[in-house]
Amino acid sequence: MKIHESGEMYLETILLLQKQVKCVRAIDVANSMEVTRASTSRALKQLKEMKLIVVDENGCITFSKEGEQIAKSIYDRHVKLTQFFELIGIDSETASADACKIEHVISDRSFEKIKQFIVLNSK
């Protein structure tokens, strides 16, 4: 299943918000991402249609099994890419910002090599 970069950002944001609050609502996502409610509504509708999220009668957003796997994978890429950039001497803020951009487009092969590099160089 191909998800656009913006969809991946919404999934990652929901995952991070779930670590902070019990019930993640659309307004929480919009505020966190600093986007309009209308944009968030459209994005969440697409994610629901793709069966990646479920929104209950109270407006609480949860993941389907596949949605959670994708969100965790995106977040893992962000964390590992940030670690990689920091290992090569990039400051934390820039490392995280660059990781956020690259996590959506990097190939699986390149990402695997970066993970190997991290393991070999973080001891």
Side-chain angles (χ1 to χ4, degrees):
M1 170 182 316
K2 180 63 180 151
I3 304 172
H4 295 286
E5 179 179 335
S6 64
E8 290 181 351
M9 290 297 299
Y10 279 92
L11 290 174
E12 185 177 18
T13 300
I14 293 165
L15 180 71
L16 294 173
L17 287 170
Q18 284 181 342
K19 295 178 181 198
Q20 299 171 11
V21 295
K22 187 171 185 164
C23 172
V24 176
R25 293 188 170 87
I27 188 66
D28 302 320
V29 176
N31 289 340
S32 179
M33 294 181 71
E34 298 180 345
V35 296
T36 65
R37 289 182 186 184
S39 295
T40 301
S41 180
R42 281 191 300 276
L44 295 178
K45 181 181 180 207
Q46 288 179 334
L47 294 173
K48 279 177 25 181
E49 289 171 354
M50 297 170 77
K51 299 188 182 340
L52 298 176
I53 63 167
V54 176
V55 181
D56 71 16
E57 64 278 354
N58 296 316
C60 296
I61 304 166
T62 56
F63 290 114
S64 67
K65 187 175 182 177
E66 182 179 14
E68 185 172 20
Q69 289 173 340
I70 292 169
K72 286 180 176 179
S73 173
I74 296 161
Y75 182 65
D76 181 58
R77 284 177 178 245
H78 182 93
V79 169
K80 296 286 191 310
L81 287 167
T82 300
Q83 288 174 334
F84 170 73
F85 290 132
E86 289 174 343
L87 274 171
I88 61 171
I90 310 280
D91 65 274
S92 296
E93 187 176 326
T94 303
S96 182
D98 287 349
C100 192
K101 296 170 193 163
I102 294 169
E103 69 194 26
H104 306 285
V105 296
I106 190 169
S107 70
D108 290 341
R109 184 173 182 195
S110 294
F111 184 63
E112 287 303 315
K113 291 294 184 183
I114 287 172
K115 287 195 315 189
Q116 290 172 8
F117 179 89
I118 292 168
V119 169
L120 293 172
N121 291 281
S122 61
K123 295 179 179 179

